[in-house]
Amino acid sequence: MAVDSRRHGRLVIGVTGGIGSGKSTAAQLFADYGAALVDTDAIALALTQPGQPAVTEIVRSFGPEYITPAGALDRAHMRERVFSDPRARQALEAILHPLIRAQVAVEVRAARAPYVLVLIPLLVETGGYRELIERVLVIDVEERVQIERTMARSALTEEQVRAIMATQASRQQRLAAADDIIENSGNLERLRSQVQDLHQRYLQLALAD
């Protein structure tokens, strides 16, 4: 569960879910209703572009073979490495996560919406954002749906999807950390209805302080 704090002066909600859960779609629906959205994946992408300090640290730790000719992180090559090597994953996280958290804090402070959603795929795994957020929203789906959706949108095999899922928190671990849950095994309209209901609740919570 998240801490009860308003150090940023507004309601801040961490959104998470496993691969294929539809967490990005859900977060965008909240943004469509007027929430501010801070996306840690987008921040990570920006931090690994040419000339960024994270790239220098990645070269130092992993070697230049993980950098594209343009000078950015070779995400596909690095993905192969970290999914097969837990130590490499920990080393990459040690480089990126402090930088990502710092930028998240900047964007949260700059937000002017009634409440802020921070999209954090590895929220439960890292536990590193609890000082920034008040509530945890989990986008939950059945594991078979995760696999089907991920295979449909990518070239990954079922074995590869399961390998990715094995590096993430379990469904039970995510649900145990949740303050709020959206069940997203259905269609877009069902998702939209749940988002709309929670949006109204979050507005009430934001205005109550």
Side-chain angles (χ1 to χ4, degrees), residues 68-86:
T68 68
L73 173 66
D74 186 333
R75 295 169 70 85
H77 193 190
M78 182 62 77
R79 188 180 300 114
E80 291 178 1
R81 172 75 182 273
V82 299
F83 281 140
S84 62
D85 184 345

Side-chain angles (χ1 to χ4, degrees), residues 43-68 71-75 77-79 81-82 88-97 99-100:
I43 291 172
L45 179 61
L47 289 171
T48 52
Q49 293 305 300
Q52 293 296 315
V55 174
T56 302
E57 292 300 318
I58 290 168
V59 171
R60 183 177 294 120
S61 297
F62 292 93
E65 63 268 28
Y66 289 93
I67 305 301
T68 68
L73 173 66
D74 186 333
R75 295 169 70 85
H77 193 190
M78 182 62 77
R79 188 180 300 114
R81 172 75 182 273
V82 299
R89 184 174 69 251
Q90 291 170 0
L92 182 64
E93 290 173 351
I95 293 169
L96 290 179
H97 285 180
L99 298 172
I100 295 170

Side-chain angles (χ1 to χ4, degrees), residues 27-177:
Q28 186 56 56
L29 288 173
F30 277 103
D32 292 345
Y33 283 118
L37 176 59
V38 178
D39 186 342
T40 58
D41 276 350
I43 291 172
L45 179 61
L47 289 171
T48 52
Q49 293 305 300
Q52 293 296 315
V55 174
T56 302
E57 292 300 318
I58 290 168
V59 171
R60 183 177 294 120
S61 297
F62 292 93
E65 63 268 28
Y66 289 93
I67 305 301
T68 68
L73 173 66
D74 186 333
R75 295 169 70 85
H77 193 190
M78 182 62 77
R79 188 180 300 114
E80 291 178 1
R81 172 75 182 273
V82 299
F83 281 140
S84 62
D85 184 345
R87 285 190 174 185
R89 184 174 69 251
Q90 291 170 0
L92 182 64
E93 290 173 351
I95 293 169
L96 290 179
H97 285 180
L99 298 172
I100 295 170
R101 285 196 295 270
Q103 183 59 32
V104 167
V106 169
E107 295 188 19
V108 166
R109 285 194 296 268
R112 294 294 177 263
Y115 67 92
V116 184
L117 293 181
V118 184
L119 183 57
I120 313 169
L122 299 180
L123 172 60
V124 176
E125 292 85 344
T126 64
Y129 294 86
R130 299 310 173 89
E131 76 281 4
L132 295 173
I133 62 177
E134 287 185 59
R135 301 184 69 83
V136 174
L137 168 59
V138 169
I139 312 303
D140 180 52
V141 295
E142 299 174 8
E143 290 186 358
R144 63 169 182 81
V145 176
Q146 287 184 262
I147 294 169
E148 291 170 359
R149 286 180 179 170
T150 305
M151 291 177 63
R153 76 183 188 198
S154 69
L156 296 175
T157 65
E158 180 174 344
E159 182 179 6
Q160 290 171 319
V161 176
R162 288 188 180 277
I164 293 171
M165 291 170 63
T167 69
Q168 299 181 340
S170 69
R171 184 183 184 190
Q172 291 73 22
Q173 288 171 321
R174 283 191 294 270
L175 291 175

